[in-house]
Amino acid sequence: MTVGVEAKGRFRRMRKRTGRGKGSGAPWNTCSNTLASNTVYSSKNSVTSATAALLIYNIIISSNAPLKQDFPGPSNPSRSSSVSRNKVESMIKMTTESSPSRFKKKKRLFHTTVTASDSIYSTWQCRVMYYWFKKHKDMPNSEMGGFTRILHSGQSDRFMDEIPTFVAQPLSSVIHQGYIVLNRPWAFVQWLQQAKIEEDYILMAEPDHIIVKPIPNLSRDGFGAAFPFFYIEPKKFESVLRKYFPEERGRITDIDPIGNSPVIIEKDALQKIAPTWMNISLAMKKDPQVDKAFGWVLEMYAYAVASALHGAHNILYKEFMIQPPWDTKIGKTYIIHYTYGCDYDTQGNLTYGKIGEWRFDKRLYSKIWPPRNLPLPPPGVPQSVVTLVKMVNEATSNLPNWGS
């Protein structure tokens, strides 16, 4: 990745101001009344529900050594320094051409993770995702290391031998209240506590990601690498977010417009962030105002806030991922995220909001396996959509026992 002279200077200044983005120091006690509860995690990682569905900050009882859950505070003031938004935004558009030689001397491998349930919907996406991970892992320019599917069903499934898998315990329905995405941060907490992770960096990905080319380690100088989502708007929801990110912690623009995925981050930083991410997610879900404001992206906001609290800032990398049908070209991207349905007429015109004569939507296969050899889109449909379907077809044609 090349960084212009001006951006390099900004990296250095920001690095001095933020202490490389790794938070430590005195515990953060703000909002302690809001976040107190009677829910604890036992030594067997099961959940016992009492009168509330939240954890007390900085307390997780585990059979393994606990994660370091300290927050930046007065004993380490450099960790709570603000990073100017315009300086972060100046780094959004970056390329991987002509990287400085010091970045080529040694590979900085990252471990790729996805969280998943044992549903058909999640399983077929994981199998396709892992197929393409393996195809690109050992190619030139790759810094992809190991892979783990973090299965938060609480029990193994029949794909343990095909996909490297860590089994995590799920939250109870009393806690997640039907919003099962809350299992994601809790699953990461368990994995980080219990698994032996050899790489120094983590890529948090999702089952509905298809890797289109080898991924280098896009993080730099203590900054993570993250995709900026247009619908994560900290400024718009400042009054809500200040419950968890008070003014003394920094400007609201210090919260990056990200979710937890895709993100490449130092393992040590994620070990600090994960318990905070989990606790803020639970606190937000319990608050009706916040739950209503954020809806299905609540857990994404929680990750963004947790990262900011720990001083973990990110290079906002727009070319990290594309999302068809809105992004039409593959370009320099590394990941296709097929979260949106793709509907077209026979002339190749997008009919979004109306079921198309040709369509691909992962939700069509929430309870059944997608068939092999899905029909290709008609002429005129953008490259991103054509590539997506071809890549799904290649994976399903080569994976054994597909749909059985």
Side-chain angles (χ1 to χ4, degrees):
M1 175 182 294
T2 44
V3 182
V5 174
E6 181 182 3
K8 285 183 181 178
R10 287 173 174 168
F11 265 128
R12 295 191 186 101
R13 292 194 293 273
M14 292 167 71
R15 182 176 177 179
K16 290 179 181 178
R17 292 169 61 190
T18 61
R20 291 177 61 85
K22 298 176 185 176
S24 62
W28 179 56
N29 295 317
T30 306
C31 302
S32 58
N33 292 335
T34 303
L35 297 165
S37 77
N38 297 319
T39 303
V40 298
Y41 288 79
S42 74
S43 61
K44 293 183 179 179
N45 293 318
S46 60
V47 178
T48 302
S49 299
T51 58
L54 302 178
L55 294 172
I56 299 175
Y57 265 105
N58 303 322
I59 299 177
I60 297 179
I61 302 172
S62 171
S63 58
N64 291 340
L67 295 175
K68 296 178 181 178
Q69 298 161 48
D70 48 341
F71 287 75
S75 67
N76 201 349
S78 66
R79 303 306 191 222
S80 58
S81 299
S82 298
V83 176
S84 172
R85 167 60 53 193
N86 63 349
K87 291 184 179 181
V88 174
E89 288 178 345
S90 71
M91 303 171 203
I92 289 180
K93 290 187 177 181
M94 310 181 74
T95 69
T96 56
E97 299 171 0
S98 305
S99 298
S101 59
R102 65 191 180 97
F103 291 141
K104 293 183 177 179
K105 291 179 181 178
K106 182 179 178 181
K107 284 194 172 186
R108 299 177 304 130
L109 297 179
F110 56 82
H111 193 100
T112 300
T113 58
V114 296
T115 56
S117 71
D118 59 359
S119 68
I120 290 176
Y121 181 66
S122 181
T123 301
W124 72 258
Q125 293 175 45
C126 284
R127 294 187 74 191
V128 171
M129 197 276 185
Y130 186 56
Y131 173 87
W132 286 105
F133 168 87
K134 291 191 296 181
K135 291 272 285 191
H136 294 297
K137 177 182 181 296
D138 296 320
M139 294 179 67
N141 301 319
S142 167
E143 291 184 283
M144 299 155 68
F147 184 99
T148 299
R149 174 184 61 149
I150 307 176
L151 184 64
H152 52 69
S153 61
Q155 58 187 5
S156 60
D157 67 4
R158 61 192 178 95
F159 296 102
M160 304 285 287
D161 292 335
E162 178 180 318
I163 308 173
T165 299
F166 172 88
V167 178
Q169 299 302 313
L171 294 170
S172 74
S173 59
V174 174
I175 292 179
H176 66 62
Q177 303 175 57
Y179 182 56
I180 61 172
V181 181
L182 290 179
N183 280 310
R184 181 178 295 159
W186 172 224
F188 267 106
V189 167
Q190 294 173 73
W191 178 67
L192 289 163
Q193 284 182 332
Q194 300 174 36
K196 182 179 180 181
I197 308 162
E198 306 214 350
E199 297 85 355
D200 292 329
Y201 298 85
I202 307 295
L203 165 60
M204 292 183 284
E206 296 186 14
D208 61 351
H209 287 178
I210 290 183
I211 298 171
V212 298
K213 67 181 180 182
I215 306 176
N217 191 333
L218 301 172
S219 67
R220 290 289 181 267
D221 294 341
F223 289 84
F227 178 81
F229 289 91
F230 72 89
Y231 50 78
I232 302 297
E233 303 175 277
K235 185 66 176 176
K236 178 179 178 180
F237 294 100
E238 179 170 4
S239 62
V240 173
L241 291 173
R242 285 302 185 189
K243 294 181 179 183
Y244 313 97
F245 191 75
E247 291 186 5
E248 58 266 28
R249 304 301 299 178
R251 293 175 296 182
I252 201 68
T253 51
D254 289 339
I255 301 174
D256 290 330
I258 63 172
N260 83 291
S261 175
V263 168
I264 298 176
I265 187 171
E266 291 183 6
K267 177 174 60 181
D268 290 347
L270 185 57
Q271 287 176 325
K272 295 178 175 72
I273 291 168
T276 311
W277 170 29
M278 178 184 66
N279 286 318
I280 293 177
S281 296
L282 294 172
M284 286 181 170
K285 185 62 182 176
K286 188 174 175 63
D287 187 318
Q289 179 193 10
V290 181
D291 190 21
K292 182 179 180 180
F294 293 155
W296 66 274
V297 297
L298 179 150
E299 166 268 338
M300 296 174 69
Y301 272 100
Y303 180 83
V305 171
S307 295
L309 285 171
H310 285 280
H313 297 283
N314 299 275
I315 303 166
L316 303 180
Y317 197 84
K318 287 184 176 179
E319 293 177 343
F320 206 153
M321 181 174 79
I322 61 170
Q323 302 184 97
W326 311 117
D327 298 307
T328 59
K329 298 183 182 299
I330 299 298
K332 297 177 180 179
T333 197
Y334 297 97
I335 293 171
I336 296 176
H337 182 207
Y338 54 100
T339 189
Y340 298 107
C342 301
D343 289 270
Y344 293 87
D345 62 23
T346 54
Q347 285 73 48
N349 299 308
L350 180 65
T351 63
Y352 197 79
K354 177 183 177 182
I355 295 177
E357 295 168 282
W358 179 94
R359 67 187 319 228
F360 174 79
D361 189 336
K362 65 178 183 178
R363 296 162 191 81
L364 294 172
Y365 310 107
S366 58
K367 296 184 179 180
I368 59 171
W369 293 75
R372 285 174 165 157
N373 299 316
L374 291 166
L376 294 177
V381 171
Q383 175 197 32
S384 62
V385 178
V386 176
T387 302
L388 165 61
V389 177
K390 285 183 176 180
M391 294 185 80
V392 170
N393 281 346
E394 179 178 330
T396 60
S397 296
N398 287 281
L399 288 167
N401 303 315
W402 184 259
S404 62

